[in-house]
């Protein structure tokens, strides 16, 4: 099921195409407006497809009938829009290389009978059957859109509303992937497993820091491994093929992930290769089902029950509040705020929030309203242009304490900035190699995280993540 905390943003991303007709746009908006965090594709209490039938079937049929030009309309025959998840298309488009001469071919599509099974096989869960059919229809819609475009990619006269409706349907199908049921039966031999449930899978972050969740991390690993194995099979051919033909072979290979069989025109993939690919896709499908049992709320550093989990759990509420402040929907509780790096991605924004609430500027774990710390008070007075002597008088402390507070703020900002950029491959701070070497050597000497962080000028949270990364890399190599 879609989670409530991101449902609003999710629906705004998958809004209708502006080119579609007004009636279709109204129906599309009505469907999105009726979706809730409890909606799912197989729910009887909070169903989705009846919403599509009520609001979009009629307008979509009108869009199809309104265009009188020539196009690949037969690709959409066989089911109404609300029935496409439950019924495979009668025909489908298959990419292949057309070679009119010896100087190269053109990537085009062949329309043929699919030979797909009309009823759901017993060993496929209902939700997987729906996604399988949506993938098939999405492929057909994509090629149907291409048939409405001229050689320059511009829709034919009068085809824009239909193109808009078809693109909107593709967005709708992508949106539906965020509404898996909470629990589904998997394969015949895996009924006890829990399928991957919380959406979105690839963007799930730990509730306590900037890292991706254990489940998302595992799913990303599986996706990368699957892409590698599929490419290895596709590239294993001994014959010399052009780049265009290699891309077509790869496209045909990926068709097997969502199709029960290849079309006769898919001559670039042999039967032996198809058999290998089916085994690969089936193995990774089972692996993804197993990954559904992993945590979608916490990362490998903050596994529930671990010392790091208990240490940072006290900061959870403050961390979430500062995230809202960084997104512009809330107000920061700090007078001295770290700045995000230029062109920051989501992880780097979350790293700013993590460093901020762990900066020690003032107490954030108490239930009562936080009060500003000494350094924050000094910062506010400094922004007003007040002299150090006046600051010391107002705060009742020495000028040396004021100077020390200013230097502490400068050091704190430099410490955050040194670890503010995130390596997208590792999910940890991007630091120079010499710094990594110092951390590695200090770890081998048995120095504590606090001592190492002070030596290299990084925060303890940043150093802790790098030390864990080096440890996991060392274990992987061994």
């Amino acid at each position: 099921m879609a989670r409530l905390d991101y449902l609003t943003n999710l629906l705004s991303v998958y809004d209708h195409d502006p080119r579609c007709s007004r009636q279709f746009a109204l129906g599309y908006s009505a469907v999105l407006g009726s979706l809730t965090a409890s909606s799912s594709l197989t729910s009887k209490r909070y169903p989705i497809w009846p919403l599509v039938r009520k609001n979009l079937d009629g307008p979509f049929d009108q869009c199809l009938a309104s265009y009188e030009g020539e196009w690949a309309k037969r690709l959409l025959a066989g089911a109404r829009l609300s029935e496409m998840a439950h019924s495979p298309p009668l025909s489908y488009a298959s990419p292949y290389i057309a070679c009119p001469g010896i100087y190269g071919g053109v990537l085009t599509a062949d329309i043929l009978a699919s030979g797909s099974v009309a009823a759901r096989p017993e060993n496929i869960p209902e939700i997987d059957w729906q996604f399988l059919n949506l993938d098939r229809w999405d492929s057909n819609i994509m090629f149907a859109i291409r048939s409405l475009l001229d050689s320059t990619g511009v829709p034919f006269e009068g085809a824009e509303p239909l193109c808009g409706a078809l693109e909107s349907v593709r967005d709708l199908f992508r949106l539906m992937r965020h509404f898996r049921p909470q629990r589904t039966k998997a394969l015949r031999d895996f009924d006890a497993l829990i399928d991957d449930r919380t959406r979105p899978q690839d963007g799930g972050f730990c509730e306590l820091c900037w890292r991706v969740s254990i489940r998302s991390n595992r799913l990303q690993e599986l996706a990368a491994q699957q892409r590698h194995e599929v490419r290895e099979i596709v590239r294993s051919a001994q014959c010399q093929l052009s780049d265009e033909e290699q891309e077509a072979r790869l496209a045909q290979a990926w068709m097997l992930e969502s199709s029960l069989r290849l079309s006769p025109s898919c001559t670039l993939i042999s039967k032996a290769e198809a058999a290998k690919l089916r085994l690969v896709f089936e193995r990774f499908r089972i692996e993804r089902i197993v990954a559904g049992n992993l945590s979608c709320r916490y990362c490998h550093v903050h596994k529930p029950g671990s010392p790091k989990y208990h240490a940072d759990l006290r900061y959870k509420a403050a961390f979430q509040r500062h995230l809202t402040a960084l997104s512009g929907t809330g107000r920061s509780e700090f007078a001295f705020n770290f700045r995000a790096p230029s062109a920051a991605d989501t992880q780097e924004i979350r790293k700013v929030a993590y460093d901020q609430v762990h900066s020690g500027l003032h107490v954030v774990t108490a239930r009562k309203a936080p009060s500003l710390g000494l350094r924050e008070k000094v910062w506010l007075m400094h922004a007003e242009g007040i002299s150090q002597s006046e600051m010391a008088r107002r705060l009742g402390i020495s000028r040396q304490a004021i100077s020390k507070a200013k230097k502490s703020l400068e050091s704190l900002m430099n410490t955050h900035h040194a670890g503010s950029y995130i390596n997208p491959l590792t999910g940890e701070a991007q630091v120079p190699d010499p710094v990594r070497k110092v951390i590695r050597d200090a770890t081998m000497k048995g120095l504590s995280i606090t001592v190492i962080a002070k030596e290299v000028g990084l925060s303890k949270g940043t150093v802790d993540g790098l030390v864990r990364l080096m440890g996991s890399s060392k274990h992987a190599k061994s």
Side-chain angles (χ1 to χ4, degrees):
M1 293 183 292
R3 289 171 53 185
L4 182 60
D5 56 357
Y6 73 87
L7 181 60
T8 302
N9 292 333
L10 181 68
L11 298 182
S12 64
V13 170
Y14 291 98
D15 199 5
H16 62 79
D17 190 290
R19 298 174 297 174
C20 63
S21 65
R22 182 175 182 276
Q23 189 173 4
F24 183 91
L26 291 174
Y28 195 96
S29 299
V31 171
L32 267 58
S34 302
L35 295 174
T36 69
S38 300
S39 300
S40 82
L41 293 180
T42 58
S43 172
K44 294 182 179 179
R45 186 175 181 182
Y46 303 100
I48 291 179
W49 296 119
L51 295 175
V52 178
R53 180 172 61 250
K54 176 182 178 182
N55 298 287
L56 276 181
D57 272 2
F60 185 64
D61 290 342
Q62 292 178 9
C63 289
L64 298 182
S66 63
Y67 182 66
E68 299 179 354
E70 293 292 331
W71 65 292
K73 187 175 182 179
R74 60 180 293 194
L75 288 173
L76 303 183
R80 304 196 74 185
L81 182 59
S82 61
E83 300 168 353
M84 289 182 176
H86 303 91
S87 303
L90 298 178
S91 58
Y92 64 84
S94 170
Y96 71 99
I97 294 291
C99 299
I102 62 175
Y103 296 105
V106 178
L107 184 62
T108 181
D110 186 23
I111 302 175
L112 64 158
S114 67
S116 300
V117 179
R120 176 171 65 90
E122 293 183 358
N123 65 331
I124 296 183
E126 169 63 26
I127 187 61
D128 288 345
W129 175 245
Q130 290 194 27
F131 285 164
L132 178 64
N133 288 328
L134 290 181
D135 285 340
R136 293 165 171 167
W137 283 107
D138 181 72
S139 178
N140 278 17
I141 293 172
M142 178 180 66
F143 281 101
I145 293 173
R146 291 185 182 180
S147 71
L148 292 167
L149 308 178
D150 60 21
S151 58
T152 63
V154 177
F156 294 121
E157 184 178 356
E160 277 204 0
L162 179 55
C163 286
L166 295 177
E167 290 287 5
S168 298
V169 169
R170 295 193 69 199
D171 279 341
L172 180 67
F173 287 172
R174 284 189 284 268
L175 171 64
M176 292 302 104
R177 291 194 168 275
H178 297 269
F179 289 88
R180 285 184 80 105
Q182 184 174 5
R183 293 173 180 266
T184 66
K185 285 191 174 181
L187 299 174
R188 185 169 46 230
D189 298 328
F190 290 85
D191 287 344
L193 295 178
I194 303 175
D195 202 351
D196 42 344
R197 318 180 269 276
T198 305
R199 296 295 170 267
Q201 282 292 351
D202 295 334
F205 292 99
C206 176
E207 295 180 1
L208 301 180
C209 70
W210 68 90
R211 302 175 182 92
V212 297
S213 68
I214 299 175
R215 184 191 300 179
S216 294
N217 185 60
R218 178 56 179 160
L219 289 170
Q220 289 174 8
E221 291 177 351
L222 291 174
Q225 293 172 10
Q226 180 174 319
R227 287 194 299 269
H228 174 73
E229 293 192 23
V230 170
R231 287 186 177 275
E232 286 297 312
I233 295 175
V234 171
R235 292 174 178 175
S236 63
Q238 299 298 323
C239 57
Q240 296 294 326
L241 298 175
S242 65
D243 292 341
E244 195 175 41
E245 289 174 321
Q246 286 285 11
E247 288 301 318
R249 272 173 55 81
L250 192 59
Q252 291 179 9
W254 284 109
M255 284 177 58
L256 284 175
E257 187 179 28
S258 58
S259 302
L260 298 178
R261 55 187 293 186
L262 286 175
S263 71
S265 68
C266 292
T267 55
L268 297 178
I269 296 293
S270 67
K271 291 183 178 180
E273 290 173 329
K276 292 180 182 179
L277 289 167
R278 288 191 183 94
L279 292 176
V280 169
F281 291 136
E282 183 65 13
R283 173 162 54 85
F284 278 99
R285 191 170 81 90
I286 295 173
E287 289 283 357
R288 285 191 291 269
I289 292 173
V290 175
N293 284 324
L294 301 176
S295 173
C296 62
R297 299 179 60 190
Y298 301 104
C299 63
H300 66 282
V301 174
H302 292 107
K303 291 180 180 179
S306 66
K308 191 64 175 174
Y309 167 80
H310 289 293
D312 286 356
L313 188 61
R314 299 172 298 159
Y315 296 86
K316 179 179 178 179
F319 175 67
Q320 298 295 334
R321 289 196 300 269
H322 200 67
L323 281 178
T324 62
L326 291 175
S327 67
T329 58
R331 184 177 180 181
S332 174
E333 300 173 357
F334 296 86
F336 182 83
N337 289 274
F338 296 145
R339 293 182 179 180
S342 59
D345 60 17
T346 303
Q347 279 192 295
E348 289 166 341
I349 294 295
R350 296 178 70 89
K351 180 67 160 56
V352 174
Y354 182 88
D355 287 351
Q356 185 76 56
V357 299
H358 288 80
S359 62
L361 288 171
H362 65 244
V363 178
V364 297
T365 56
R367 293 186 178 180
K368 60 181 181 180
S371 59
L372 298 182
L374 173 62
R375 290 177 291 179
E376 291 176 290
K377 293 177 181 177
V378 170
W379 171 255
L380 290 176
M381 292 182 184
H382 172 74
E384 294 177 10
I386 300 175
S387 66
Q388 288 192 188
S389 299
E390 180 63 17
M391 291 183 196
R393 188 189 68 79
R394 292 186 183 185
L395 296 174
I397 57 178
S398 65
R399 289 184 58 185
Q400 289 78 6
I402 299 295
S403 178
K404 186 178 179 180
K406 284 187 174 182
K407 290 181 179 179
S408 177
L409 286 175
E410 182 180 356
S411 175
L412 192 63
M413 178 61 78
N414 292 337
T415 297
H416 161 69
H417 180 71
S420 59
Y421 286 94
I422 301 296
N423 186 326
L425 299 179
T426 65
E428 298 296 341
Q430 180 73 56
V431 298
D433 289 338
V435 175
R436 292 174 59 88
K437 185 179 184 303
V438 172
I439 295 175
R440 186 182 298 107
D441 294 342
T443 304
M444 295 179 65
K445 293 178 182 178
L447 299 181
S448 67
I449 296 295
T450 302
V451 173
I452 299 174
K454 187 175 181 180
E455 181 177 350
V456 298
L458 295 170
S459 67
K460 290 189 292 184
T462 299
V463 172
D464 179 68
L466 291 172
V467 169
R468 292 171 185 270
L469 178 64
M470 293 173 186
S472 62
S473 300
K474 183 178 179 181
H475 292 311
K477 290 179 180 179
S478 61

